[in-house]
Amino acid sequence: MGVYKDKLRGTYYVKYKNTTKRGFKTKKEAKLFENKVLRHKRFNDEYFCAVARGYLKHLEQTSKYSTYMKCQQVMEDFIIKNFPDKKISNITPQDCFEFRIKLSNSSYSTTTKNYILQKFKKVFKHAMTYNDLFSDPSVSLTSFQKTLEEDKNETVKKNTIWDENDFNQFIKYVDDNVYKVFFITLFYTGARLGEIRALTWNDFSRGKINIIKSVTSKTDHVTDNRKEEIVPTKTSSSKRRISVGSSLNEMLKDLKKQEQQKEGYNNDWFIFGGPRTLPTTSIDRKRQKAIKLSGVPFITNHGFRHSSISLWINKGVTITEVSKRVGHKNPGVTLGIYTHANINEDDKLLDILNNLQSETIKSSQDEA
């Protein structure tokens, strides 16, 4: 292998194996290509498992800890196991297709299958970016399509809301006081998850909370192995000061007294979490555990907000007041969510209509 000058054309070319690469205007360009080929040659000896773990190290440095741990689990439990002793340069499109077939026949949900497939493809993209892999054998792999049943179940989950009875049943099974107060605050304020997580003790006084900021994971900022950042609220109308109610006010005051006993406490501490925000992974784990134990319908974290909106409107609070409380730009947004969440309202209307018509028909028959 070497770099040579084409005296006839006045350019440079590189010879390697049985191939000649021509057309380099300068010797420097030709040398750069030669080095790339040499790196690729060395990389060809890398095993897939080593490259996959290299991708994991990169992910650990650039993503939040929970994202890294989730990826590490599927990488070790499924992906690497399928290519334990194979060099990455020897993996063919057919190998990738057979991997997809095996994944398709697994018992994982469609969402999990697509997550595993995505991470499998990421290994090759990582190799092309950082290890000079010439081509991606996984490029033609397509995502899995959800079944009709999965689509139906997902729609039900998104549309599920709770009334106060559902919530009261749920909260009995939250066994940690901090999380208990957290979920009560989430349900009865109607605030967004990020807004509640961002609350500090400076934001709480005289039975009210100031909502002026939120926690977002849509950032490159990494703190304590978490890819998240405190940012202003979603819109200017989201900035608000709302009452929490007498019972929740007392619960928050008691929680503050407990926190004040801890070393290093100050009012900049987060209400839920102390010196750092409450992790979403822990919130999800507590929510899912209490839902399972209580037997109430599944609900997402954002479902607490929709449930709160539905609760207030059903109790007779005006759309305008509810809109102000939850920080919507205008009442139309609030009404849209309420209408979407209460998809069974038409059944109630039909029951009322049937009763009214029944009374009308009965009256007309009596008169006859």
Side-chain angles (χ1 to χ4, degrees):
M1 184 172 186
V3 174
Y4 305 92
K5 185 169 184 178
D6 187 330
K7 295 180 180 179
L8 182 63
R9 296 183 177 89
T11 57
Y12 292 84
Y13 61 93
V14 179
K15 293 187 71 174
Y16 60 100
K17 293 184 179 180
N18 297 320
T19 305
T20 301
K21 178 71 174 178
R22 297 183 179 276
F24 298 101
K25 293 181 180 180
T26 65
K27 187 175 182 179
K28 183 178 180 180
E29 288 179 0
K31 289 294 292 183
L32 286 172
F33 180 79
E34 180 188 36
N35 290 335
K36 183 176 181 179
V37 172
L38 289 172
R39 287 198 307 272
H40 175 67
K41 184 178 179 182
R42 288 193 296 270
F43 176 67
N44 278 344
D45 293 329
E46 287 274 8
Y47 285 93
F48 175 84
C49 58
V51 179
R53 291 187 177 111
Y55 166 68
L56 280 174
K57 286 183 179 179
H58 174 78
L59 193 67
E60 186 179 15
Q61 298 299 318
T62 57
S63 301
K64 60 183 180 180
Y65 184 68
S66 58
T67 301
Y68 162 72
M69 290 301 294
K70 180 181 178 181
C71 181
Q72 183 191 44
Q73 184 175 355
V74 300
M75 196 70 74
E76 296 289 350
D77 291 350
F78 194 90
I79 297 175
I80 290 177
K81 280 186 177 180
N82 280 274
F83 301 94
D85 302 311
K86 196 153 190 173
K87 293 179 180 179
I88 193 167
S89 59
N90 293 335
I91 295 177
T92 65
Q94 181 62 32
D95 293 327
C96 294
F97 181 67
E98 289 174 1
F99 171 83
R100 189 187 184 282
I101 292 175
K102 186 173 182 179
L103 183 58
S104 176
N105 293 331
S106 71
S107 59
Y108 293 119
S109 68
T110 302
T111 300
T112 302
K113 288 176 183 177
N114 281 328
Y115 178 79
I116 293 173
L117 190 65
Q118 178 202 46
K119 293 307 174 186
F120 176 65
K121 291 166 70 73
K122 285 279 188 180
V123 173
F124 294 103
K125 288 183 178 179
H126 176 82
M128 291 186 72
T129 303
Y130 297 99
N131 303 97
D132 295 319
L133 181 67
F134 277 178
S135 62
D136 180 359
S138 71
V139 69
S140 62
L141 296 183
T142 57
S143 300
F144 296 96
Q145 299 299 311
K146 289 184 178 179
T147 63
L148 291 175
E149 185 177 356
E150 286 177 320
D151 274 335
K152 182 179 178 181
N153 290 338
E154 191 169 292
T155 300
V156 169
K157 285 182 178 181
K158 286 181 178 179
N159 290 333
T160 299
I161 59 169
W162 286 348
D163 59 20
E164 64 271 33
N165 295 322
D166 292 319
F167 181 74
N168 290 341
Q169 181 67 14
F170 161 83
I171 205 66
K172 291 178 186 176
Y173 293 89
V174 179
D175 53 8
D176 184 294
N177 185 58
V178 172
Y179 286 90
K180 188 183 290 287
V181 181
F182 173 84
F183 284 120
I184 291 174
T185 305
L186 193 64
F187 184 75
Y188 283 110
T189 62
R192 300 174 180 90
L193 178 67
E195 293 172 342
I196 298 299
R197 290 180 66 217
L199 289 173
T200 68
W201 290 113
N202 284 318
D203 299 317
F204 171 63
S205 65
R206 299 179 181 180
K208 294 186 177 183
I209 53 175
N210 291 320
I211 299 177
I212 56 175
K213 55 191 179 299
S214 183
V215 181
T216 180
S217 59
K218 297 177 181 179
T219 177
D220 292 327
H221 182 74
V222 179
T223 304
D224 296 327
N225 291 322
R226 292 192 211 158
K227 194 175 180 181
E228 63 180 31
E229 187 176 8
I230 306 296
V231 296
T233 51
K234 192 174 181 181
T235 62
S236 58
S237 58
S238 295
K239 293 181 180 179
R240 58 207 188 274
R241 180 171 170 82
I242 61 173
S243 300
V244 298
S246 57
S247 296
L248 180 53
N249 180 49
E250 292 303 316
M251 294 181 79
L252 287 169
K253 286 164 66 175
D254 289 342
L255 182 61
K256 185 175 183 179
K257 289 178 183 177
Q258 295 173 21
E259 293 295 293
Q260 287 173 328
Q261 303 303 313
K262 297 180 180 179
E263 184 178 353
Y265 168 85
N266 63 71
N267 283 341
D268 290 328
W269 272 23
F270 296 102
I271 293 178
F272 305 106
R276 55 187 297 189
T277 58
L278 210 59
T280 53
T281 49
S282 299
I283 294 169
D284 289 340
R285 188 165 55 250
K286 292 288 184 181
R287 171 176 53 82
Q288 291 167 8
K289 179 182 177 182
I291 286 174
K292 185 176 181 180
L293 292 173
S294 63
V296 296
F298 177 88
I299 198 173
T300 63
N301 288 322
H302 201 65
F304 283 84
R305 178 170 168 82
H306 288 187
S307 296
S308 184
I309 291 171
S310 179
L311 176 68
W312 298 130
I313 295 175
N314 285 334
K315 294 296 182 182
V317 182
T318 66
I319 292 286
T320 302
E321 288 304 311
V322 175
S323 181
K324 289 179 182 178
R325 181 172 179 82
V326 299
H328 280 152
K329 190 174 182 179
N330 60 68
V333 177
T334 312
L335 184 60
I337 289 175
Y338 174 72
T339 304
H340 175 71
N342 288 272
I343 56 177
N344 295 321
E345 288 297 299
D346 189 56
D347 293 336
K348 295 180 182 178
L349 187 149
L350 184 59
D351 288 339
I352 294 171
L353 182 63
N354 288 336
N355 289 333
L356 289 172
Q357 289 178 350
S358 177
E359 291 175 8
T360 300
I361 292 171
K362 183 179 179 181
S363 297
S364 67
Q365 290 174 342
D366 289 343
E367 290 177 3

